[in-house]
Amino acid sequence: MSDPSASHAAALPRVSLPGTAAPRFDNRLLAELPGDAETGPRRREVRAALWSRVAPEPVRAPQLLAFSHEVAESLGLDEAALRSDALRDVLAGNALLPGMDPFASNYGGHQFGHWAGQLGDGRAISLGEQVAADGRRFEWQLKGAGPTPYARFADGRAVLRSSIREFLCSEAMHHLGVPTTRALSLVATGEAVMRDVMYDGHPAPEPSAVVCRIAPSFLRFGHFELPAVRGETELLRQLADFAIARDFPEFRSVSATDAQTFETRYADWFAEVCARTARMVAEWMRVGFVHGVMNSDNMSILGLTIDYGPYGWVDDYDPDWTPNTTDAQGRRYRFGWQPAVARWNLMRLAQALSPLFGDAAPLQAGIDRFGEVYAEADRDITARKLGLAVCRDEDVALIRELYALMHASEADMTLSFRALADVAPQAGQARAPADASLADASADAFARCPALRAAFYDHTKREAQAEGWRDWLQRYAARLADDALPPDIRAAHMAAANPLYVLRNYMPQQAIDLAEQGDLSELHTLQDLLRQPYTAQPGRERYAALRPDWARERVGCSMLSCSS
Ligand code: AMP
Ligand code: MG
């Protein structure tokens, strides 16, 4: 076919990195799955294909604002490479490394409960799939690198503010121990784009940026939904076989010779996707993360947190809270609904995969697995957060009551859990034989624990619930007295399950305000702070404090739209 843009990628210079770094790319998705015959960014419907070749569009004045040392190290990038103009140009979309073969992938998705048709990587361009020296796979993907066939009416770019938010949060989540895509770099483009931040008819120019995201795979539920909806069953089967072979090595060795074995393998794999999704969402609930746009195109097949948009962090505990003003009406993606929404998305995936199955039983088994794994993870998290050796049935009720109290009294989720550790060891030291005296000693724990008393946003509400807190703390102390963990181990468990520092909603906004004026200090401080979210860092007490009053109802802090 005539190909006006065949020279599109060829037009980008190929550069080599100085030093020892020479990443090796094998680009299996392009090699093994059907692609689009046309290349280049002309907007179009792409059928019977899972990807389109398209190159990043170069930017005027690329500037490396931040990068993750840890990610760079995994990729084998040394200091010389990190300091080079060559790498900066690659991360801006102005150049390619040898072996890179840029493409955008094709997917659909359910947005806010409704089928949305073809979506695809509208502004994400994958540069290549790296195989590191240790065999691990790392796909390099630029977000905001220019339009692709899937850009529809938009410009293919991302603003600096949303790029800072993605860069900081994905790395913070990793260090919190939550499965996530990573961010290698944040590059300013030196160009502006127009955005209407609150969708209220006030578009304005904003600086744009490019984030280089890294993950073993960027396959989403929506990649399977689109061929399924279009009746492209062979393509769907190819994609499932590919995903299993490349991304789920544990299932690769199952030799599949007849239809029966194939189906068993798909069933085991789907159950694994369900299990990983359950663990991921349970971790979100542990740290107080609200994704904000859990559309099925934003759900990773690997169970990684992906697509950081109008996400938020719970300050005062509130299961009904959502940071996303675009979702303010239905609040579909509110904090407390995330497990149910994850399950709903898995049902959409099950529906998409159903042509690969003779009957629905194995898919139902996968959905059931989600429930089992979530319940298991939730109990494990309950034990760790409360500092218990095991989670008994009554402990599930105990933590629910704690959440109810936090909600009613506007307690800060992060600070309250952290403060519990101050109560716990005192109780632990007084372990049996004197259970009764222990309960007495802690009857007053609420009054005596300044860290806990300081974890409230509204002192009137705190005092109104004081009786409830005293009662709860007494029962908690009694429960600890009946628990096997020695106090020092308990304290260690609690400190490892309850972060001290999270990316409170106002924090990235402060980094953004300064970065827009050319001051990167706060961006770098936050990046460094969130490398050790469980460890007290002297001099950084203000990050382990209540959300400041001014941030309560501020755009960018508590109110975010999908505009990015
Ligand atoms: P999101 O809400 O960020 O998950 O995006 C939903 C869809 O819109 C995806 O297909 C994105 O690639 C696409 N999209 C979002 N913003 C842009 C943009 N500025 N340019 C092109 N496509 C975009
Ligand atoms: Mg998305």
Side-chain angles (χ1 to χ4, degrees):
M1 109 178 258
S2 81
D3 185 358
S5 46
S7 60
H8 198 66
L12 286 179
R14 294 271 166 182
V15 292
S16 297
L17 299 178
T20 55
R24 187 169 68 80
F25 296 92
D26 73 352
N27 306 334
R28 284 183 63 180
L29 193 128
L30 297 193
E32 297 175 28
L33 291 174
D36 185 3
E38 185 178 336
T39 63
R42 188 184 67 82
R43 280 35 165 207
R44 56 192 182 265
E45 282 275 316
V46 177
R47 295 191 170 259
L50 287 156
W51 51 268
S52 305
R53 273 203 171 85
V54 59
E57 195 175 75
V59 300
R60 198 162 51 81
Q63 190 198 346
L64 182 62
L65 301 184
F67 65 89
S68 159
H69 258 294
E70 299 88 354
V71 177
E73 202 177 302
S74 310
L75 303 180
L77 300 175
D78 55 22
E79 278 297 323
L82 285 170
R83 275 197 307 269
S84 68
D85 290 353
L87 186 64
R88 178 204 61 201
D89 287 348
V90 170
L91 299 176
N94 286 15
L96 296 171
L97 293 175
M100 285 180 164
D101 193 352
F103 69 94
S105 74
N106 192 8
Y107 58 80
H110 279 82
Q111 298 187 318
F112 297 96
H114 304 284
W115 175 243
Q118 176 182 304
L119 296 166
D121 294 323
R123 55 172 166 177
I125 296 181
S126 285
L127 298 176
E129 300 171 44
Q130 182 187 354
V131 187
D134 60 5
R136 285 193 295 162
R137 304 187 64 82
F138 299 103
E139 185 168 329
W140 297 38
Q141 186 177 76
L142 300 185
K143 184 168 176 179
T148 76
Y150 311 98
R152 293 174 293 160
F153 305 105
D155 58 8
R157 292 293 173 193
V159 289
L160 177 63
R161 87 183 128 76
S162 70
S163 305
I164 288 179
R165 287 171 52 81
E166 169 136 15
F167 179 82
L168 283 176
C169 198
S170 58
E171 285 303 289
M173 291 283 269
H174 168 76
H175 293 294
L176 281 162
V178 184
T180 178
T181 61
R182 304 292 303 272
L184 170 62
S185 59
L186 170 69
V187 171
T189 62
E191 297 176 4
V193 292
M194 294 297 285
R195 290 291 185 275
D196 188 358
V197 183
M198 292 316 286
Y199 297 133
D200 58 0
H202 296 93
E206 291 191 51
S208 75
V210 179
V211 169
C212 182
R213 310 196 278 200
I214 304 284
S217 163
F218 286 96
L219 288 179
R220 301 147 186 267
F221 292 9
H223 278 105
F224 297 83
E225 291 181 274
L226 186 61
V229 165
R230 288 173 167 173
E232 298 168 342
T233 305
E234 244 346 275
L235 190 64
L236 174 70
R237 186 183 304 279
Q238 276 179 285
L239 177 60
D241 291 343
F242 173 80
I244 293 170
R246 190 191 66 173
D247 298 334
F248 292 81
E250 62 271 41
F251 298 112
R252 202 157 42 195
S253 60
V254 180
S255 72
T257 44
D258 54 38
Q260 182 63 44
T261 353
F262 263 108
E263 209 179 299
T264 310
R265 185 161 68 163
Y266 293 141
D268 291 349
W269 164 66
F270 177 64
E272 174 64 14
V273 175
C274 292
R276 289 192 192 193
T277 305
R279 284 187 213 109
M280 172 190 76
V281 177
E283 289 291 294
W284 293 358
M285 304 310 286
R286 171 174 69 85
V287 297
F289 174 77
V290 191
H291 183 285
V293 212
M294 288 178 74
N295 293 332
S296 62
D297 51 300
N298 291 339
M299 298 289 295
S300 139
I301 285 289
L302 291 194
L304 305 174
T305 313
I306 189 171
D307 274 12
Y308 290 84
Y311 65 80
W313 291 82
V314 168
D315 293 312
D316 51 299
Y317 180 85
D318 181 357
D320 293 327
W321 182 69
T322 174
N324 184 357
T325 52
T326 315
D327 188 29
Q329 281 289 308
R331 281 193 282 168
R332 181 181 177 84
Y333 299 138
R334 65 182 84 160
F335 180 51
W337 274 29
Q338 295 186 119
V341 172
R343 186 176 181 281
W344 189 90
N345 284 327
L346 284 164
M347 306 245 293
R348 303 288 74 74
L349 178 61
Q351 199 171 28
L353 297 175
S354 61
L356 308 182
F357 290 85
D359 71 283
L363 289 166
Q364 185 55 50
I367 299 291
D368 294 345
R369 178 106 185 97
F370 172 84
E372 292 153 18
V373 173
Y374 185 82
E376 227 172 86
D378 188 41
R379 289 176 78 105
D380 175 55
I381 286 169
T382 295
R384 284 157 51 213
K385 285 185 88 72
L386 294 181
L388 303 170
V390 286
C391 176
R392 302 177 188 155
D393 288 346
E394 60 266 32
D395 300 329
V396 175
L398 189 68
I399 202 164
R400 271 199 201 123
E401 288 162 37
L402 174 62
Y403 283 126
L405 269 175
M406 285 184 192
H407 190 195
S409 52
E410 266 188 41
D412 186 85
M413 178 179 171
T414 304
L415 298 182
S416 307
F417 273 110
R418 215 46 205 199
L420 277 192
D422 290 356
V423 182
Q426 298 167 21
Q429 282 150 16
R431 281 181 65 217
D435 285 7
S437 66
L438 161 67
D440 280 353
S442 56
D444 201 9
F446 190 50
R448 279 193 295 100
C449 182
L452 183 57
R453 292 184 67 78
F456 294 80
Y457 286 95
D458 182 325
H459 290 189
T460 315
K461 286 188 180 158
R462 180 189 70 190
E463 291 315 310
Q465 300 295 328
E467 200 46 53
W469 275 100
R470 270 192 286 275
D471 173 59
W472 189 89
L473 286 168
Q474 213 165 341
R475 281 181 292 135
Y476 177 50
R479 173 64 183 87
L480 291 179
D482 192 26
D483 186 80
L485 285 184
D488 51 336
I489 305 283
R490 167 171 303 134
H493 281 198
M494 292 179 80
N498 298 311
L500 179 58
Y501 307 106
V502 294
L503 189 62
R504 292 176 184 276
N505 309 304
Y506 76 92
M507 286 160 49
Q509 188 57 44
Q510 288 190 321
I512 290 164
D513 290 342
L514 288 171
E516 286 180 347
Q517 291 151 32
D519 178 349
L520 303 174
S521 57
E522 191 63 11
L523 170 65
H524 294 148
T525 300
L526 290 180
Q527 192 194 351
D528 190 57
L529 173 84
L530 296 164
R531 273 200 187 99
Q532 293 188 62
Y534 299 99
T535 310
Q537 300 173 36
R540 288 175 165 171
E541 290 75 15
R542 80 176 180 92
Y543 297 109
L546 293 173
R547 165 199 64 219
D549 261 352
W550 59 261
R552 196 182 174 103
E553 309 279 346
R554 215 196 115 180
V555 170
C557 296
S558 63
M559 297 187 285
L560 292 139
S561 74
C562 286
S563 161
S564 58

